[in-house]
Amino acid sequence: MFKGEKPEQVLQIDPSNELRFTGPFTSAVTSYITLKNPSEKKVCYKIKTTAPKQYCVRPNSGTLDPMSSVEIAVSLQPQQGDFPSSENYKHKFMVQTMFAPDGDYDSDQLWKEITPDKLMDSKLKCVFSSGSEVPANQDCVKEAPVQEKKVTKSNKVGTQAENELARAAAEVKTLREEESTLRQENLALKEEVLRLRKATREAREQSGDSAIGGGSANAQTLANMENNRVYLILGIFAVLFGILLGKFLL
C-alpha cells in the first residue's frame, strides 16, 4: 500500500452516496443509514458531519460484531426560510471505521490513538427536497379552460374521490411521523439495553457472580419491552393499513 492511501471501506452502507431529507422542514425530519458488517472481525464506527449543530445522530458511534448490522437515525433539526434550495448538497456526512483490536479496549482512547492509514471512511451528501416535486414518470395535468357546465353525478363522485385521496395522504403523512418517532424511541431503548449489559459485565468483573442476576434480569426486562414495542408498532401499521385499504376499495 502506498503512503497516504486509505484501506477500502469494510462496511456495507445504505444509502451509499446520498442521504435524502424530505420537507417540510419546520419540524425535525429523520433519515436513516444502515451499516452492515460482512467481515469476520469486529468493526468500530463513528459518524461525523460538516454541520453538527443541525443534526442529531443516534447512535453516533459503536462497535459492529461480525455479520451484524445497525440502523443510524439522522434527524435534521427544524429550519426556517428557504432551506432546501440554499443548502442542497452543502451538508455532508462521513462514516469512519476501523477494525477493533482483540481483547478489552477503551473506545475513546482507541479513536484518539488510531493512525490515518488504518482508518476507513465513506462520505454521503445530504439532499433536501420539499416533497412537492412531480415525479419524472408522472404526467403533468394542465388546467382546462373554465367553462360553464352543469354539475353531473360523475363530477360529484370525482370530487369525493379527490377528497378521500387528500385525507388518505394526510393520514399517510401522520403515519410516517409516528413511525419516525417510534423508530427513534426503539433505538433509544436499544442503546439503554446495551448500556445496561455493559454495566452488568463491569459489575461481574468487579464483584463476581453475585451481581449477575439483577443485571441480567433488568436486561431481559428491557429486551421484553423492546419486543412488545415492536409488536405494538406492527399492530398500529396493520390497523392503519386496513383503514386506508378500505377507503380506497370503497
Side-chain angles (χ1 to χ4, degrees), residues 18 39 69 94 106 123 149 152 166 178 185 189 211 233:
E18 295 181 348
S39 72
S69 63
M94 176 184 288
D106 186 301
K123 297 178 181 179
K149 57 182 178 180
T152 62
E178 292 177 353
E185 291 177 355
L189 183 58
I233 294 172

Side-chain angles (χ1 to χ4, degrees), residues 177-187 229 232-233 236-237:
E177 293 175 352
E178 292 177 353
E179 177 197 9
S180 178
T181 301
L182 290 173
R183 291 178 75 172
Q184 291 189 57
E185 291 177 355
N186 193 29
L187 286 172
R229 185 183 296 275
L232 177 60
I233 294 172
I236 292 174
F237 274 110

Side-chain angles (χ1 to χ4, degrees), residues 1-7 116-117:
M1 180 179 297
F2 296 102
K3 185 178 180 180
E5 184 179 353
K6 288 182 176 292
D117 60 309

